[in-house]
């Protein structure tokens, strides 16, 4: 756990430079606008520890799978979010000495992520090796109003010298991914152009061995503007071109105490949105437009857009700056990562903050992120997330086919970009199939929240039938148990692999079948549409629904009646049952224990039985919840970022507010405090939605009951009050909870 | 299954060239002498499909581990058997056209592995692109009498031309492993020298990132001899030197119908046996000696050595050439791979026939190979195999330490070269722990066979205590079962992973504890030695033996009393129980099914419960064997080369001779017929010992009872007779089984 970020209600502040944590800070201070984003890298050269990252939404490369031992069924490649053209770069040379923060004496340093404005600012005073002292100030943002554009305002002020500045402002497409499986670079150059103070670079992802994989073309353009003594100047520009690189070079005089302001206007256009042959022309037009609007106007529009987002989405906590900063940090990054405007996109686990994992879509989207977007964005945003899976249904059917399933059974991938699986650990890829259930559950969650049954009765039912067909084939009849069983799965608790009858998986499978059967009953009221769907899906109604009903009735759900708990899986009680507080020196076990030891231990990575009790709470009594919570929570190490939030919600339900608070802090400040020592790889974006849920569904106790929102709030001891707003069926509800009581208001949306 | 190898009692014959199977043939026709070996590659350049392989026993490189997802506890490297200097190479150019069999018209072709003589011969008539027709004859061997030397006798006879031969005889150290994890080359050049018709190349394995890994230096030397018209000639030699390469080049006239004979004498000296600074001088001396002995004398000595081996080890089967060829092929390769003279060596799964898998020591050595060497070699050979593990005991204790065990618990690695684990699949590396039991069992097997208790009471007991300590820590008490359980293991049947209470593993663990307790009782008769050992091992006698006895008494051994079978693991009866003949179109399942489907199916890769019933047959009735055999055998797909042999032995015991015969053929001709379509990677050397066991313990019914050998032979329908010899406590027993009866004779050893 790190503690160098200054606590502030609206900002993430690094005061004094911490080069040892620079990659962590770069992750924390990432910017994005749903369309593009980049890490908090410095504009100028930096020879210290840094992970360069510039990402364009939806742009990926099929990185050839790397495994030790191939298993039949592994995908050939991992769809990897790739580092794209570096557009922030400004190389600075003063009197022939290169500016490199790692080679300077830093006299003063502050890096600030302004979450209200959506900007990254830096103020830095330094002494170069030649004794020159100068002040650098920079501010940049990825525009929320012009979402293919980014701007930098960068100033240099000499403090003790008169000298000559050589500035190279560049676009560099010769970038790589640190986590490339085979050290490969993914881009090739297509075109470039330098014209006065403008430069363009067009890069295309390389040919891969897989025919059906799309290639992406990105045209980046930049245009420069300068001011000295607050007056625009037009220094002459020297064009520079290398392989995969364009730049404009300038020489400018620097005068003591006078600011030279360098403004860089950038556009990044993707072939996902612009025909390749029109990218260059459009880039020029777009750049021209933003150039003439100017930095201040664009910044104003950008701030306005953020203000609008905060208007609906802010959570205000008073009396606890750490908690306040934490929740805003989470909301901020969620909003930057996914705006919901483009139905082809989804919410990557690292968003625009790192390159690890690859893929963008995990079950996190349905289980954790959907409730956030349901409550904080227009209804179509949540619906887009559902439609995304509908579009991948055919691929999910093919994916199930690879594993030997047929007749339209669908298994959604564990990780995907284009609907194809791109994960390669057999115990997860092939066995962590509960993800299929979360995709079904999201249809229910959306329908329940919005009251809109049109998705369920249209595309949703097709998805549900595909998933139900999978469950139906995935179980088998056990002669020994005289029950349907599901063998060889990995539940949400990934610290168990290849177990039999994971309670959560069996429960969500049973639930899916039941929900699908109910959906079919609803659909049948429109005979014509239903008959058409049956024909489309070759649905053998009687036979299939008959078997499903039988499975619903006779699936094995492991339980210990004496202890009154559900069993995470068959045989769970054969383990040595310890509690987390008995092994303090062994934690985190994923760093200290070998995999077999983790597997045979009782310790739980993330909510598993409890995840089920959270999803299906109406089906269980408070007493059942309490017994299971008391049994499993003490064995849970929360080494998944997705774990504490579910526990927070359940602890609130059990009115264990102190425990809920501890779990909440862990969720909300996971990255700010770098709890798991891995923030340098990027932020845990999807877990951030969990932090939001911990407040709204946990402390706020928000539920849907009979088509209405209900609240059952609790207030942590250390908070004076908290408030949040949620959109619900055309209304905005504002909930304020304080020691004095609870106030719920309807606002207009 | 391939069928291009001609059946012959003493030879493996490829008649007519089969370039599409060339890598398979190269594997089949590998030569070795326990000290070095190489695949059946052509001497001259070949641009077609080929896997070059020259290996020196005990020489390896730590190839950096490659995995998709790192698990804590994985070893850093895989000890890989590496391809060493190519010493057979003869580049041939005739009238400026290079001889390349892939570019010639092959008029006649025969490649023969003479198993009686231990030589590889080739006779080939071909037409080159320029119309030249010629005959090539070659013969080579790795000398059994001079085990650091190899010789080639190669002749060229022009059939329709007079021309000029340019010959380049070389040593090439610039070789690589096809299966290198990161495409790396493993050798660097240390020294080289070319002197007239002699050349020397000294190569050293590269520096690796791991400090304690030894580096190996190999000096290869060659010396050339020529004959034309049966007379020695001394053509002048042009020296050639490149990086990692030395050669002698010659120009010789070729006259129609006249043979030019090229003899290459080679030595390969390893730093394992020769100080590096003396290698070159010794190589010169050694080469001089064999050069002057000459090819014919060396060949004679070599044949004599083989005759001696066959004298004791041959198995004669009459009436079934396929079976005869199969068993001799297996015995031949076992003898080439491991002679038992060097206690540092062991029996690699591919021997000198390929580079796949790496490591050299699996549990195959103890479970399959030891009985072969016990019966066919001097007692010290088997004892060396035991001592090998004793020498690795400290490493096994460290290995267990990495997985969280302490107090001297030892877990032998799944695969090793130097005692360190070098496998990296968690389900095997960490969980396939039954291997530990096989190492204990081998001590029993040796002691029982030889009557020699000195190993048991000396080093053996230390090994047993280390292994027992492991089992003792690896089980835990199940409150639910009121039994000791062993969770999260992989049994011999690798088509199950991370199961609980694998019957075989629990049984062999229980047996080990019992055998160790008995060993301790014996050891205690020599109080002084025992007390010293206790001190050395910090053995808390009462506490440790007390717990062991408790585990022996109360370990859970899953069983279905109704069916009267032992259960392969907990929950086995929850599976859909099918038989192999119900899924003909799905086989082999390891190529047609995804891993999860294999795991949740009932299908068995190799004997698991039956392996236990084979090891501990005295503890079970014939009826128990029969019930378990009838239950498990129909579910067994035998996709491990180690499976059919155990089933053959058990089928013989049950007097199901036809079934035993079918299983035997599959074992004995596994590589000759390329059953599993993977012989191109190398031969299944350790499984070959299983084929031997199938005859001797299976058909021959050999057992040890009360210190004597007993036989209970059966005769397969299609065999007229069979006979074998086994060494036993200073005697040689000859067993002849025919339709007329059984004849058992004692011969002098």
């Amino acid at each position: 756990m790190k503690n160098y970020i200054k606590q502030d209600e609206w900002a993430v502040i690094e005061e004094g430079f911490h080069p040892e944590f620079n990659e962590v800070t770069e992750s924390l201070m990432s910017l994005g606008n749903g369309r593009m984003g980049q890490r908090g890298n410095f504009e100028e050269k930096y020879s210290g520890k840094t992970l360069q990252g510039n990402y364009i939404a939806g742009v990926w490369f099929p990185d050839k799978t790397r495994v030790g031992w191939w298993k039949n069924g592994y995908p050939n490649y991992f769809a990897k979010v790739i580092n794209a053209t570096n557009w922030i770069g400004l190389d600075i040379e003063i009197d022939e000495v290169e500016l490199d923060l790692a080679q300077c004496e830093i006299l003063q340093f502050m890096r600030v992520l302004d979450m209200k404005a959506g900007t990254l600012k830096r103020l830095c005073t330094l002494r170069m090796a030649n004794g020159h002292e100068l002040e650098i100030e920079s501010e940049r943002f990825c525009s929320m109003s012009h979402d293919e554009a980014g701007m930098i305002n960068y100033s240099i002020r000499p403090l003790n010298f008169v000298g000559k500045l050589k500035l190279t402002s560049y676009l560099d497409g010769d970038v790589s991914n640190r986590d490339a499986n085979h050290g490969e670079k993914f881009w090739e150059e297509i075109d470039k152009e330098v014209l006065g103070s403008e430069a363009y670079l067009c890069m295309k992802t390389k040919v891969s061995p897989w025919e059906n994989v799309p290639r992406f073309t990105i045209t980046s353009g930049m245009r420069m503007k300068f001011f000295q003594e607050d007056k625009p100047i037009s220094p002459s520009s020297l064009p520079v071109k290398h392989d995969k690189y364009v730049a404009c070079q300038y020489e400018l005089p620097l005068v003591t105490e006078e600011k030279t302001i360098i403004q860089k206007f950038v556009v990044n256009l993707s072939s996902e949105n612009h025909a390749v042959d029109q990218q260059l022309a459009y880039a020029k037009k777009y750049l021209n437009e933003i150039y003439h609007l100017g930095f201040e106007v664009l910044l104003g529009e950008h701030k306005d857009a953020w203000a609008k987002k905060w208007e609906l989405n802010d959570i205000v906590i008073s009396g606890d700056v750490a908690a306040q900063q934490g929740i805003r940090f989470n909301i901020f990054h969620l909003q930057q990562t996914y705006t919901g405007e483009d139905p082809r996109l989804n919410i990557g686990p690292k968003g625009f903050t790192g390159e690890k994992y690859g893929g963008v879509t995990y079950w996190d989207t349905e289980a954790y992120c959907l409730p956030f977007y349901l409550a904080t964005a227009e209804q179509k945003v949540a619906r887009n997330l559902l439609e995304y899976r509908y579009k991948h249904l055919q691929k999910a059917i093919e994916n199930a086919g690879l594993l030997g399933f047929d007749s339209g059974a669908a298994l959604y991938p564990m990780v995907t970009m284009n609907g194809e699986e791109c994960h390669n650990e057999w115990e997860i890829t092939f066995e962590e199939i509960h993800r299929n259930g979360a995709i079904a559950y999201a249809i229910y969650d959306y329908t329940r929240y919005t009251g809109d049954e049109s998705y369920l009765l249209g595309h949703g039912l097709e998805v549900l039938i595909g998933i139900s067909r999978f469950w139906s084939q995935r179980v088998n009849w056990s002669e020994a148990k005289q029950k349907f069983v599901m063998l060889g799965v990995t539940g949400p608790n990934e610290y168990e692999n290849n177990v039999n009858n994971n309670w959560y998986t069996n429960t969500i499978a049973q639930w899916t079948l039941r929900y699908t059967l109910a959906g079919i009953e609803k659909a049948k009221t429109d005979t014509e549409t239903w008959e058409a769907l049956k024909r489309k899906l070759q649905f053998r109604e009687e036979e299939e629904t008959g078997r499903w009903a039988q499975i619903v009735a006779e699936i094995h759900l492991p339980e210990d009646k004496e202890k009154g708990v559900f069993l995470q899986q068959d045989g769970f009680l054969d383990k040595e049952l310890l509690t987390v507080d008995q092994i303090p020196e062994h934690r985190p076990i994923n760093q200290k224990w070998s995999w077999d030891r983790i597997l045979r231990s009782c310790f739980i990575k993330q909510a598993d039985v409890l995840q089920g009790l959270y999803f299906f709470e109406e089906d269980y009594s408070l007493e059942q919840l309490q017994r299971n919570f008391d049994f499993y929570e003490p064995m849970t190490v929360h080494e998944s970022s997705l774990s504490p939030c579910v526990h927070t919600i359940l602890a609130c339900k059990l009115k264990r507010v102190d425990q809920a608070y501890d779990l909440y802090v862990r969720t909300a400040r996971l990255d700010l405090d770098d709890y798991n020592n891995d923030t340098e790889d990027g932020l845990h974006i999807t877990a951030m939605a969990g932090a939001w849920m911990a407040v709204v569904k946990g402390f706020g106790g928000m539920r849907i009951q009979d088509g209405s929102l209900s609240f059952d709030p609790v207030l942590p001891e250390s908070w004076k009050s908290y408030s949040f707003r949620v959109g619900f069926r055309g209304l905005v509800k504002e909930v304020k909870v304080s020691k004095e009581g609870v106030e719920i208001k309807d606002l207009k949306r």
Side-chain angles (χ1 to χ4, degrees), chain A:
Chain A
M1 195 173 137
K2 296 182 184 67
N3 214 359
Y4 72 101
I5 295 293
K6 202 178 153 188
Q7 295 190 354
D8 181 281
E9 297 192 339
W10 274 111
V12 176
I13 302 167
E14 178 194 27
E15 222 169 41
F17 184 38
H18 296 75
E20 70 281 22
F21 302 145
N22 188 45
E23 293 185 358
V24 176
T25 316
E26 288 175 343
S27 296
L28 296 175
M29 304 216 177
S30 296
L31 291 177
N33 61 11
R35 184 69 67 199
M36 59 190 249
Q38 29 87 239
R39 290 170 51 84
N41 307 129
F42 297 134
E43 287 85 1
E44 62 276 12
K45 179 203 163 110
Y46 181 64
S47 63
K49 203 172 143 91
T50 175
L51 175 65
Q52 297 293 307
N54 294 275
Y55 311 101
I56 309 288
V59 173
W60 55 278
F61 189 82
D63 198 16
K64 194 179 160 217
T65 297
R66 187 183 69 181
V67 292
W69 304 86
W70 191 266
K71 303 277 191 198
N72 207 24
Y74 276 162
N76 292 314
Y77 59 80
F78 199 114
K80 193 151 277 177
V81 169
I82 55 179
N83 196 5
T85 296
N86 174 357
W87 59 266
I88 63 166
L90 298 172
D91 278 349
I92 289 170
E93 219 181 272
I94 297 171
D95 290 343
E96 289 173 12
V97 178
E98 190 177 41
L99 181 67
D100 173 353
L101 259 62
Q103 305 296 325
C104 294
E105 190 182 339
I106 311 280
L107 306 174
Q108 202 198 342
F109 183 96
M110 186 145 84
R111 187 158 31 165
V112 179
L113 178 72
D114 180 337
M115 300 189 286
K116 193 166 198 170
T119 60
L120 176 61
K121 289 186 269 201
R122 180 162 49 116
L123 178 65
C124 174
T125 320
L126 49 87
R127 185 182 294 123
M128 295 176 68
N130 57 6
H132 286 2
E133 291 177 15
L134 61 148
E135 184 195 80
I136 292 173
E137 235 177 315
S138 80
E139 183 173 16
R140 71 171 186 246
F141 59 96
C142 295
S143 172
M144 277 286 179
S145 59
H146 293 72
D147 67 4
E148 290 165 310
M151 296 87 197
I152 304 170
N153 189 73
Y154 187 98
S155 78
I156 296 178
R157 188 163 66 96
L159 301 180
N160 67 349
F161 68 96
V162 170
K164 199 179 65 187
L165 164 69
K166 185 169 146 195
L167 169 77
T168 310
S169 173
Y170 62 86
L171 299 170
D172 181 6
D174 190 22
V175 292
S176 56
N177 271 40
R178 188 186 282 179
D179 75 337
N181 284 342
H182 304 275
E184 218 184 327
K185 290 194 173 184
F186 301 137
W187 294 100
E188 61 185 43
E189 183 190 297
I190 295 298
D191 198 6
K192 64 188 161 203
E193 197 175 314
V194 185
L195 283 166
S197 272
E198 292 170 56
Y200 300 89
L201 181 65
C202 179
M203 302 293 300
K204 186 169 183 177
T205 52
K206 282 177 26 180
V207 178
S208 77
W210 297 285
E211 275 181 24
N212 296 322
V213 167
R215 294 175 66 192
F216 300 95
T217 304
I218 303 290
T219 298
S220 301
M222 67 172 195
R223 191 158 170 188
M224 303 302 298
K225 202 185 256 190
F226 298 88
F227 300 86
Q228 275 185 333
E229 297 180 80
D230 287 334
K231 282 175 212 131
I233 56 165
S234 301
S236 71
S237 174
L238 180 72
V240 185
K241 289 183 182 181
H242 301 312
D243 185 35
K244 306 182 183 174
Y245 177 98
V246 288
C248 300
Q249 221 169 60
Y250 303 88
E251 290 203 351
L252 291 161
L254 292 178
V255 180
T256 319
E257 290 294 344
E258 278 184 13
K259 263 192 190 176
T260 296
I261 294 176
I262 300 154
Q263 291 183 344
K264 187 171 184 177
F265 297 80
V266 174
V267 297
N268 287 305
L269 304 178
S270 162
S271 51
E272 288 291 274
N273 305 306
H274 302 278
V276 172
D277 59 359
Q278 287 158 35
Q279 282 185 8
L280 184 60
Y282 187 69
K284 289 179 182 179
K285 190 171 154 257
Y286 198 155
L287 256 188
N288 190 53
E289 184 189 327
I290 58 172
Y291 180 86
H292 286 103
L293 285 172
F295 188 85
E296 289 307 321
V297 171
L298 290 163
L299 178 59
E301 289 179 4
H302 176 69
K303 285 181 177 173
D304 289 349
W306 268 107
K308 245 173 147 173
K309 288 190 183 283
W310 285 117
E311 172 74 14
L312 179 60
N313 302 337
D314 193 18
I315 292 181
V316 181
I317 296 172
S318 84
D320 188 341
V321 178
Q324 174 67 79
Q325 184 184 37
I327 194 66
R328 285 204 176 116
F329 180 74
N330 290 318
I331 296 169
F332 176 76
H333 277 290
L334 283 165
Q335 300 282 351
Q336 295 204 110
T337 302
Y338 182 74
T339 63
E341 274 152 33
D342 186 338
R344 297 166 301 178
L345 301 179
N346 210 291
I347 306 136
K350 300 263 164 241
F352 298 118
T353 72
E355 58 188 44
K356 207 140 184 191
Y357 297 138
V360 291
T361 315
Y362 288 64
W363 70 291
D364 305 24
T365 292
E366 282 76 15
Y368 297 87
C369 300
L370 184 73
F372 172 78
Y373 291 105
L374 272 172
T376 63
E378 291 173 72
Q379 187 171 320
K380 71 161 193 207
V381 171
R383 179 140 181 167
N384 277 345
L385 289 174
L386 302 186
E387 292 285 357
Y388 177 95
R389 293 292 194 176
Y390 177 70
K391 286 191 194 107
H392 289 176
L393 177 58
Q394 191 47 43
K395 293 271 188 199
I397 291 171
E398 289 164 21
N399 185 41
L402 288 177
L403 306 191
F405 300 90
D406 53 26
S407 309
L411 175 62
Y412 280 91
M414 188 66 200
V415 188
T416 193
M417 186 67 84
N418 60 345
E420 285 171 23
E421 177 64 82
C422 60
H423 193 89
N424 56 350
E425 275 179 301
W426 65 264
E427 60 273 23
I428 295 181
T429 310
F430 304 148
E431 295 204 340
E432 201 176 331
I433 53 179
H434 68 82
R435 61 195 186 236
N436 237 13
I439 289 160
Y441 185 83
I443 299 171
Y444 164 70
D445 210 18
Y446 169 86
T447 308
R448 160 175 82 161
Y449 197 90
T450 62
D452 167 25
E453 292 206 321
S454 66
Y455 180 77
L456 165 65
L457 295 175
H459 293 165
L461 196 55
E462 282 187 54
V463 171
L464 289 171
I465 288 175
I467 294 174
S468 288
R469 282 170 157 176
F470 174 81
W471 293 131
S472 169
Q473 293 175 41
R474 189 57 170 74
V475 298
N476 69 276
W477 180 255
S478 161
E479 281 298 327
K481 288 203 168 59
Q482 290 291 306
K483 287 274 183 185
F484 287 99
V485 293
M486 197 168 346
L487 307 181
V489 306
T490 295
N493 170 20
E494 291 171 332
Y495 287 177
E496 301 280 352
N497 290 161
N498 194 44
V499 300
N500 296 333
N501 295 307
N502 172 261
W503 182 85
Y504 172 80
T505 307
N506 285 16
T507 298
I508 206 164
Q510 182 194 44
W511 174 88
T512 309
L513 294 170
R514 204 190 287 129
Y515 186 61
T516 307
L517 288 169
I520 288 171
E521 285 312 306
K522 277 191 188 161
K524 284 167 78 172
T525 57
D526 176 353
T527 317
E528 203 175 316
T529 314
W530 170 241
E531 289 300 328
L533 187 63
K534 271 174 67 176
R535 279 193 300 278
K536 179 180 174 191
L537 303 182
Q538 299 185 285
F539 190 59
R540 306 176 308 283
E541 185 177 345
E542 200 176 336
E543 177 193 336
E544 298 196 59
T545 60
R547 179 168 163 93
W548 298 354
Q550 211 183 340
I551 295 168
V552 169
E554 301 185 59
I555 193 165
H556 171 58
L557 296 167
E559 185 176 358
D560 185 86
K561 293 238 161 84
E562 202 178 303
K563 291 191 178 0
V565 296
F566 301 114
L567 293 181
Q568 190 179 272
Q569 71 251 9
D570 280 354
F572 188 81
L573 293 181
D574 280 336
K575 289 171 184 281
E576 188 180 10
L577 299 180
L578 300 172
T579 57
V580 174
D581 54 18
Q582 288 175 283
I583 56 154
E585 73 283 12
H586 295 273
R587 296 175 61 200
I589 61 174
N590 66 10
Q591 283 167 34
K592 302 209 172 163
W593 281 6
S594 64
W595 192 242
D596 59 314
R597 189 173 185 187
I598 289 175
L599 291 179
R600 67 178 180 274
S601 83
C602 68
F603 294 109
I604 297 171
K605 183 184 179 191
Q606 77 182 85
D608 193 298
V609 167
L610 297 180
Q611 180 82 33
L613 294 178
Y614 157 65
F615 269 173
F616 306 113
E617 60 179 346
E618 296 88 348
D619 299 341
Y620 305 98
S621 69
L622 205 61
E623 198 201 328
Q624 280 178 305
L625 172 63
Q626 186 186 310
R627 275 200 307 264
N628 282 281
F629 191 90
D630 287 342
F631 186 71
Y632 287 111
E633 200 284 330
M635 297 187 227
T636 305
V637 291
H638 301 297
E639 290 173 13
S640 159
S641 61
L642 299 172
S643 186
C645 56
V646 172
H647 286 77
T648 308
I649 296 169
L650 298 178
C652 286
K653 187 166 176 181
L654 295 169
K655 306 298 179 208
R656 299 181 182 176
V657 185
D658 289 349
Q659 189 177 11
Y661 176 78
D662 291 344
L663 289 159
Y664 164 74
V665 170
R666 188 161 169 164
T667 297
R669 296 190 59 87
L670 179 76
D671 285 315
L672 281 173
D673 294 337
D674 197 8
Y675 264 91
N676 291 351
N677 211 24
D678 59 358
T679 298
E680 60 188 15
D681 297 333
L683 306 178
H684 299 81
I685 296 293
T686 49
M688 292 179 169
W692 177 90
M693 286 203 291
V695 175
V696 173
K697 297 191 165 193
F699 299 121
M702 181 177 93
R703 298 290 188 279
I704 326 281
Q705 280 175 333
D706 306 324
S708 306
L709 277 191
S710 73
F711 298 90
D712 181 14
V714 294
L715 182 68
E717 185 68 31
S718 61
W719 295 5
K720 286 201 194 107
S721 67
Y722 65 96
S723 68
F724 57 85
R725 293 174 174 184
V726 289
F728 182 73
R729 304 192 182 185
L731 293 174
V732 173
K733 301 254 177 197
E734 186 176 68
V735 179
K736 284 191 180 169
V737 182
S738 67
K739 296 212 191 315
E740 285 69 45
V742 177
E743 199 184 321
I744 299 175
K745 270 201 292 200
D746 282 350
L747 309 177
K748 275 209 181 134
R749 191 155 192 164

